[in-house]
Amino acid sequence: MCGIFLCLDRSNVQPVTTAIKDLLRHRGPDSQRHISFRLIRHESNDTLEQGWDSANHGSVHVSCVSSVLSLRGDRIVAQPITKEVDDLSLGKSSFLCWNGEAWSFGGAAIRGNDSSHVFNTLCHIAKICRDSSCEFPQVALAEAIAAHTGPFAFVFYDHLSHRLYCGRDFLGRRSLLYKRGLDGSLYISSVPDDRDGWQEFEADGLYYVDLDLSGASSNFDLQRTPYKCCDEQYASLRYTQIGTSSKEARLAVLFSGGIDCTILARLSHDILDADESIDLLNVAFENPRVHGRAVSSGRSPYEQCPDRKTAESSLKQLQAACPNRVWRLVRINVPYTEFVAHRESIIDLIYPHNTEMDLSIAAALYFAARGQGLAEDQSLYKTPARVLLSGLGADELFGGYTRHATAYNRGGLSALQEELALDISRLGKRNLGRDDRVISHWAKEARYPFLDEYLVNWALSASLWEKCGFGQPCPMDDSGTELDPAKMLLRCLALRAGLGSVSNEKKRAIQFGARTAKMEVRKTKGTQLLTKSQE
C-alpha cells in the first residue's frame, strides 16, 4: 500500500510534518521520496513557466511526498513517478503518486508495474490533448482513469496544462483526504495528521485544480468531472502474479469464519500454488465489560469471542474440503491494555470518521491487519503476507444485512431493491476510506474480491432472485436445515464448494464478533461522537 501527501500554497513551501512522514512510511516502507518546487508567472509573457524569478505576479509552491509498498514488477518504482528525475524537483515534469492496483486497461491485462503504466497512459493522453487543443482534457483523462479496473487513489500533475488531478476509484476502495489551510492552501493526503478539517474525496469522479496564477490570492478551487463507466464486457484480472512459488504465505484472509471470508479462502485454494500456505487472520479482544466473569473464572476471554469459535469451525471445513493445503489460523489476541495503548493512533487514522462504531470496527481491522498472533502450536507468529483479502461488499451486493430482510418484510422486493441500491451508492463514503487507512498502516494492501468491477456490474444487473432467496423456497444445507435467504447465492456456492456448515452461518458484525463494541463500562451508543473529553 502506498502513501500520498501533497500541499499547494501561494506563499511558501509548507514543511511536511514528521507525523505525516511517519504515517506514510508505515503504509509504504519500500521507498519514500519528497519533492518541492515553485511555479511562477514571468512578467515578460503570459504563459506559465517553471523556475525561480524575483519578478513575478504570483507563484504556487508545491510540496509532495509519496511512499511505496512494492507488490508488482521486478523492481521498486519510487514515487512520485516521473520520466525525468532531474526535472521533477524543478516542476518541469509531470508526476504521479499512485496508491492502488490497476488490473487491466480497456479490457487488456496489465503486466509488470501498474503505476508506470498509469503514468505513461496519463502523460500520453495529456500530450494528445495539448497538441490537438482539446477544450476539455479533464474528460479524456477521466475516461482513461475509468478504463482501469482495480482499487486506487492518485494525484497526477500535468506540467503541460499546469493542472493537478486527483481522485479515487468509483467504489472508493482507497483512502484520499483533503483540507484547506487558513491561508487558502490545499492539502491532499492518504492519511490525516490531526483531527481538524480533513474530508474524504467523494468517489464520484476526477477532481482537478487549475494552477492559474493570474490571481495570486485566489483559492485552489477543486473542480470535478464525473467518471464514465467502462465497457461492461471488461473483466478485471482477479489476482496479481507476484514472484516465484514459496511455501511462505503471500496471501492472508481477514477471517471471522463467516461465509464471505471462508468462500474467499476456498477460492484462493483453487488459484494459488499447491505448496503455498494461506494465513487466516482472526482477531479477538479482551472486553472488560463482557469478559469480566470469564477472566475471573480462568476461561480465556479470546476463545469466548463469537468470531473465534466460528473461525475454528470454518477452519475444519476448509481442511476437510482442501486437505492438502496448509491453512494457518493466526489467533490475534488483543488485551484491553493494548487496545488502550493504540486507541489514540486508531482515532487519528480513521478521522474524519469519528463515532464509537467507527472506532470499534477500525480497531478490529487495525489489529487483524498487523497480523501478529499465535499459530496452532501457540508459538508467536507474524504473517509475512502483504496482501489481505476482505469479504467486504458481499452483504451490500447480495442482501446480507438484517435491514435487507426488514425492508423485504416491510415492502417486498421493491423495498429490498431500494435498500440494496442505497448500500452500494454509499460504500465509499461509509467504510472503505476508513478501512484503507487502518489496514495500510501496517504496510498491507487490502483487496476486495466482492467489489471487483466485473462482479459488481453483474450483481447490479442480476435479478433479486439470482442473488438472494427472499420470497422463494430455500434449499437445505447438509444437516437438513433450510438455508437463510440472505446471500443465497453465496450459500449455494458454499455447499457446492464442500463447506457444509459454513453455508448457514448468520451475519455478525465484526465489532460484536471480535468483541470490540462498547469496550468501556460506561454506557455509549455506536453513533456517539468521539469527543475530546473521551479521548
Side-chain angles (χ1 to χ4, degrees), residues 82-357:
T82 183
K83 289 183 177 178
E84 300 294 338
V85 176
D86 292 339
D87 286 342
L88 183 61
S89 61
L90 299 176
K92 295 180 180 179
S93 173
S94 300
F95 66 80
L96 172 71
C97 300
W98 177 258
N99 168 28
E101 297 284 350
W103 307 130
S104 64
F105 175 69
I110 296 173
R111 304 297 181 185
N113 185 271
D114 58 327
S115 58
S116 296
H117 167 88
V118 174
F119 177 64
N120 292 331
T121 299
L122 296 181
C123 287
H124 177 68
I125 293 174
K127 185 177 186 303
I128 291 176
C129 289
R130 188 194 66 165
D131 293 345
S132 61
S133 300
C134 175
E135 187 176 358
F136 302 106
Q138 67 271 20
V139 175
L141 288 168
E143 290 178 351
I145 285 293
H148 290 87
T149 58
F152 59 79
F154 72 96
V155 170
F156 172 64
Y157 170 66
D158 174 25
H159 84 287
L160 299 176
S161 65
H162 306 283
R163 273 188 175 179
L164 187 80
Y165 296 91
C166 57
R168 306 161 71 196
D169 70 84
F170 76 99
L171 288 172
R173 288 167 286 184
R174 293 291 178 260
S175 169
L176 197 65
L177 308 166
Y178 72 96
K179 77 170 182 177
R180 302 282 185 181
L182 295 176
D183 57 355
S185 55
L186 176 65
Y187 297 86
I188 299 173
S189 182
S190 298
V191 287
D193 61 344
D194 55 44
R195 306 173 197 172
D196 183 27
W198 289 101
Q199 302 178 64
E200 283 190 314
F201 277 98
E202 295 287 349
D204 59 355
L206 179 69
Y207 287 80
Y208 60 97
V209 178
D210 281 311
L211 301 183
D212 178 12
L213 305 182
S214 58
S217 61
S218 62
N219 291 329
F220 300 107
D221 295 324
L222 284 165
Q223 303 178 71
R224 181 184 71 90
T225 188
Y227 289 140
K228 290 187 177 180
C229 294
C230 332
D231 193 307
E232 292 181 1
Q233 68 180 348
Y234 293 163
S236 61
L237 184 64
R238 302 298 198 276
Y239 297 95
T240 307
Q241 298 298 318
I242 306 174
T244 57
S245 177
S246 170
K247 292 183 178 179
E248 186 177 72
R250 299 177 300 166
L251 179 74
V253 182
L254 297 173
F255 193 72
S256 66
I259 186 171
D260 308 333
C261 59
T262 308
I263 282 179
L264 293 183
R266 175 64 182 82
L267 293 176
S268 299
H269 166 77
D270 293 337
I271 296 171
L272 298 179
D273 293 332
D275 63 347
E276 185 174 337
S277 62
I278 298 177
D279 286 350
L280 308 174
L281 307 181
N282 178 261
V283 64
F285 283 69
E286 176 195 5
N287 186 322
R289 189 182 60 83
V290 177
H291 292 137
R293 294 180 180 177
V295 173
S296 62
S297 64
R299 291 183 295 162
S300 167
Y302 312 113
E303 300 307 313
Q304 302 305 311
C305 287
D307 278 1
R308 179 60 52 81
K309 296 177 181 178
T310 307
E312 298 277 3
S313 174
S314 296
L315 172 63
K316 293 177 181 177
Q317 294 288 312
L318 287 169
Q319 291 171 331
C322 314
N324 296 323
R325 173 72 61 184
V326 175
W327 301 99
R328 183 182 291 107
L329 182 62
V330 184
R331 296 163 176 83
I332 300 169
N333 300 331
V334 184
Y336 178 69
T337 53
E338 188 170 14
F339 163 74
V340 172
H342 287 259
R343 185 175 185 270
E344 293 302 301
S345 296
I346 299 171
I347 293 174
D348 287 340
L349 287 169
I350 66 176
Y351 186 84
H353 296 266
N354 64 336
T355 68
E356 289 286 348
M357 182 180 292

Side-chain angles (χ1 to χ4, degrees), residues 429-471:
K429 183 179 293 186
R430 291 183 66 216
N431 301 329
L432 290 162
R434 175 199 67 200
D435 297 352
D436 174 75
R437 292 192 287 279
V438 293
I439 291 172
S440 300
H441 184 72
W442 302 112
K444 301 294 197 305
E445 176 168 292
R447 295 184 183 170
Y448 307 98
F450 289 114
L451 294 181
D452 175 271
E453 288 91 338
Y454 184 70
L455 178 59
V456 170
N457 181 67
W458 177 86
L460 292 178
S461 61
S463 60
L464 285 176
W465 49 85
E466 290 180 279
K467 299 183 287 189
C468 48
F470 295 104

